[in-house]
C-alpha cells in the first residue's frame, strides 16, 4: 500500500513549522554563490598615463572599487580604467591643477587648483562619474566646481616686511607667511591625532625655496570638513575668480622637515598603516637632511609648541602652533632628529590598501609630458621602503 501525504490537511500551526523547516533545509543544500572578485585582483602592476601637451604629471588618484585611475597633468585630467583604456579627459582651465584624491564617500575627485596671479586658491571638485569621453571642456559643463580657500590666500599675500607692497609670485622676498606659495598636496583622512572618525580633507601648502629665511622650515597642513561644502561650490570662471569658501579651517598643523622646494607636492593617507605620507621635492638648506618623503602617524597627538624660526606677533618671541611629530621610522638625521626616506614621491603617491602603493614618475619634454605609475609594496626598510609589487603580492592582497 502506498503512502500519501497531504500538506493541506495538516494543522495550520504544523504547516507553518514545516514550511520554516523546509526553507532552512533548502538554504543548507543550496549551492553557495561565488564571492565577488576582490578589486585587488584587477589592479594593474603598472600603467602608462599617456603623453600630453601639458606640464608634467602632478598627482594621481585611484578609485579601487570602481576600477579607475586619474592623472593630473596641470591643465588636463585623464581618466583610465584598470585595463589601461583611456576613458576620458577634462580640459579648459589655465590654472595649476596639482595633487588629487578620490573621495569614495561622494564619488568625486578633489584636487588643488592655483591662480597665483589672481591670488585665488581653490579645491577643484570633479564629478568624474560623468567623465566619459576625451576632450570634455570644464567651462562648458558642470563637472568641475571649485571651493575658495581664504586661509591660504591670507598667508600667501601676507606683507611680512610691512612695506605696504606685496611682492607677488616671487620666492626671494620676505613676504608670504611661512613662505607660502599656494597649495599642492591633498588627501582625505581622519583628524590629526585620531585613526577613526569622519575623514577630513587635508590640504598642504606649497612653500617657496628660500635658504635665507628661517620661517619656512615647517610643512603647513590645513584640515577641512567637506560634508557641507556644497554651499560653497561654484563653477570655475577664470575671468572673475570667486571667493566662495569656508572662512575657518577645521585645524592648522605644522611639521618641521626643513624647507623643501614648493612644500608638500603629494600627500596621501594610508588606511593600512594609519599613516600620512608627504612627498616633496628635495630641499637645499645644508643644515637639514633634505629627505624626499616624510610620514606622520595618524594617532600622533598635535601639541602646541614653538614654531622654530617663525617670529611671534610684532616680531617678538616665537610664534606658536599645533605641531605634529614625524613618524619614528625611516632614516634619521642625527643633527636635527628629522626622520624620512629618500623615496621619490613628488609627482604621485597613492595607497590602495594591504601595503600596496602606486608611485608615479614623470618623463618627456615641454609640450609632450608622460606619466607612468608602478605598483609597489611597503617593506619598512629605511633604505628601501618600497619595492615593485609582484603578481604574488596581488594574490596575497586579494585573499580573504
Amino acid at each position: 500500500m502506498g503512502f500519501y501525504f497531504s500538506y493541506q490537511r495538516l494543522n495550520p500551526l504544523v504547516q507553518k513549522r514545516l514550511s520554516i523547516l523546509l526553507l532552512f533545509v533548502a538554504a543548507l543544500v543550496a549551492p553557495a554563490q561565488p564571492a565577488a572578485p576582490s578589486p585587488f585582483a584587477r589592479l594593474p602592476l603598472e600603467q602608462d598615463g599617456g603623453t600630453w601637451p601639458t606640464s608634467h604629471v602632478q598627482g594621481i588618484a585611484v578609485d579601487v572599487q570602481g576600477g579607475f585611475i586619474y592623472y593630473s597633468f596641470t591643465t588636463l585630467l585623464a581618466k583610465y580604467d584598470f585595463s589601461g583604456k583611456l576613458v576620458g579627459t577634462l580640459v579648459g582651465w589655465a590654472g595649476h591643477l596639482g595633487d588629487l584624491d578620490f573621495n569614495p564617500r561622494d564619488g568625486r575627485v578633489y584636487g588643488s587648483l592655483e591662480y597665483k596671479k589672481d591670488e585665488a586658491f581653490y579645491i577643484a571638485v570633479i564629478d568624474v562619474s560623468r567623465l566619459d569621453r576625451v576632450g570634455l571642456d570644464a567651462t562648458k559643463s558642470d563637472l568641475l566646481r571649485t571651493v575658495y580657500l581664504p586661509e591660504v590666500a591670507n598667508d600667501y599675500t601676507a606683507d611680512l616686511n610691512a612695506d605696504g607692497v606685496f611682492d607677488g609670485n616671487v620666492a626671494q622676498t620676505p613676504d608670504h607667511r611661512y613662505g607660502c606659495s599656494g597649495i599642492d598636496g591633498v588627501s582625505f583622512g581622519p583628524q590629526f591625532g585620531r585613526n577613526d572618525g569622519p575623514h577630513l580633507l587635508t590640504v598642504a601648502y606649497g612653500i617657496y625655496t628660500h635658504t635665507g629665511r628661517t620661517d619656512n622650515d615647517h610643512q603647513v597642513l590645513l584640515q577641512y570638513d567637506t560634508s557641507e561644502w556644497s554651499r560653497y561650490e561654484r563653477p570655475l570662471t577664470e575671468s572673475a575668480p570667486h571667493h566662495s569658501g569656508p572662512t575657518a579651517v577645521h585645524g592648522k598643523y605644522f611639521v618641521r622637515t626643513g624647507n623643501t622646494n614648493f612644500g608638500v607636492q603629494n600627500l596621501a593617507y594610508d588606511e593600512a598603516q594609519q599613516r600620512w605620507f608627504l612627498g616633496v621635492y628635495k630641499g637645499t638648506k645644508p643644515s637639514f637632511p633634505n629627505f624626499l618623503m616624510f610620514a606622520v602617524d595618524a594617532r600622533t597627538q598635535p601639541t602646541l609648541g614653538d614654531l622654530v624660526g617663525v617670529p611671534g606677533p610684532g616680531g617678538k618671541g616665537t610664534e606658536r602652533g599645533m605641531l605634529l611629530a614625524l613618524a619614528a621610522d625611516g632614516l634619521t638625521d642625527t643633527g636635527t632628529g628629522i626622520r624620512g626616506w629618500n623615496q621619490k614621491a613628488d609627482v604621485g603617491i597613492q595607497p590602495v590598501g594591504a601595503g600596496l602603493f602606486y608611485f608615479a614618475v614623470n618623463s618627456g619634454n615641454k609640450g609632450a609630458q608622460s606619466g607612468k605609475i608602478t605598483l609597489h609594496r611597503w617593506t619598512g626598510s629605511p633604505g628601501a621602503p618600497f619595492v615593485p609589487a609582484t603578481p604574488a603580492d596581488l594574490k596575497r592582497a586579494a585573499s580573504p
Side-chain angles (χ1 to χ4, degrees):
M1 180 173 63
F3 175 76
Y4 174 76
F5 172 76
S6 174
Y7 179 84
Q8 288 76 15
R9 294 176 62 183
L10 292 176
N11 179 286
L13 180 60
V14 175
Q15 287 185 18
K16 181 178 180 180
R17 290 177 175 175
L18 182 59
S19 297
I20 293 173
L21 177 62
L22 291 173
L23 287 172
F24 177 73
V25 172
L28 289 177
V29 300
Q33 296 298 315
S38 167
F40 289 109
R42 299 183 295 142
L43 290 174
L45 290 175
E46 58 182 32
Q47 187 178 92
D48 188 338
T51 300
W52 305 99
T54 61
S55 183
H56 68 80
V57 61
Q58 302 284 343
I60 58 174
V62 180
D63 175 4
V64 175
Q65 296 296 326
F68 298 104
I69 301 174
Y70 302 90
Y71 299 79
S72 164
F73 281 91
T74 316
T75 53
L76 176 147
L77 178 76
K79 176 182 179 180
Y80 286 81
D81 66 19
F82 279 0
S83 73
K85 175 186 175 183
L86 177 62
V87 177
T89 59
L90 187 66
V91 295
W93 63 91
H96 180 287
L97 182 67
D99 191 21
L100 308 172
D101 199 16
F102 177 78
N103 183 6
R105 291 153 189 81
D106 64 12
R108 299 190 292 180
V109 163
Y110 289 63
S112 58
L113 182 60
E114 298 182 316
Y115 290 86
K116 293 181 183 180
K117 182 179 178 181
D118 298 309
E119 301 170 6
F121 303 93
Y122 299 104
I123 293 298
V125 185
I126 306 168
D127 182 2
V128 289
S129 67
R130 295 187 289 140
L131 181 53
D132 56 4
R133 56 189 181 276
V134 173
L136 274 172
D137 191 330
T139 65
K140 299 177 181 178
S141 71
D142 61 353
L143 268 69
L144 187 152
R145 301 179 71 80
T146 52
V147 175
Y148 178 73
L149 303 182
E151 183 78 11
V152 181
N154 290 339
D155 283 343
Y156 174 77
T157 59
D159 177 21
L160 295 186
N161 62 353
D163 65 354
V165 178
F166 170 59
D167 294 334
N169 183 18
V170 178
Q172 301 304 308
T173 170
D175 289 345
H176 311 294
R177 187 173 291 111
Y178 316 118
C180 175
S181 69
I183 53 175
D184 276 298
V186 297
S187 183
F188 282 93
Q191 179 178 326
F192 286 116
R194 305 185 58 169
N195 61 354
D196 59 1
H199 276 206
L200 306 174
L201 177 65
T202 303
V203 181
Y205 277 14
I207 296 176
Y208 288 110
T209 294
H210 192 317
T211 58
R213 296 176 65 157
T214 62
D215 61 349
N216 59 356
D217 292 327
H218 293 82
Q219 307 297 347
V220 184
L221 305 175
L222 308 180
Q223 287 201 310
Y224 293 93
D225 180 355
T226 62
S227 60
E228 296 183 0
W229 266 23
S230 59
R231 59 179 170 167
Y232 301 122
E233 294 176 10
R234 299 289 186 274
L236 176 64
T237 305
E238 294 183 326
S239 60
H242 74 82
H243 286 183
S244 175
T247 57
V249 299
H250 191 277
K252 188 171 187 175
Y253 305 90
F254 301 84
V255 184
R256 186 169 170 80
T257 63
N259 181 240
T260 59
N261 190 17
F262 290 110
V264 177
Q265 286 294 297
N266 272 240
L267 181 67
Y269 180 68
D270 178 29
E271 289 275 11
Q273 296 187 65
Q274 298 177 351
R275 173 177 283 185
W276 297 86
F277 286 92
L278 293 68
V280 304
Y281 293 143
K282 189 177 181 69
T284 57
K285 286 188 176 182
S287 58
F288 289 95
N290 299 316
F291 295 130
L292 300 179
M293 188 178 74
F294 303 92
V296 173
D297 287 325
R299 296 184 68 178
T300 296
Q301 293 297 314
T303 58
L304 181 63
D306 289 345
L307 301 181
V308 177
V310 182
K316 299 179 179 179
T318 302
E319 184 176 329
R320 291 171 66 79
M322 299 306 294
L323 290 163
L324 293 169
L326 290 166
D329 204 353
L331 302 170
T332 305
D333 177 60
T334 56
T336 61
I338 291 172
R339 305 191 68 159
W341 297 267
N342 289 316
Q343 167 70 48
K344 180 178 172 61
D346 51 14
V347 295
I349 173 176
Q350 183 60 59
V352 292
L356 300 176
F357 291 66
Y358 279 112
F359 285 92
V361 295
N362 55 294
S363 61
N365 301 307
K366 184 177 181 180
Q369 288 288 333
S370 300
K372 181 179 180 180
I373 61 170
T374 304
L375 191 65
H376 284 70
R377 174 176 55 81
W378 167 258
T379 69
S381 168
F386 295 94
V387 295
T390 66
D393 292 322
L394 288 178
K395 184 176 181 180
R396 172 187 53 80
S399 299

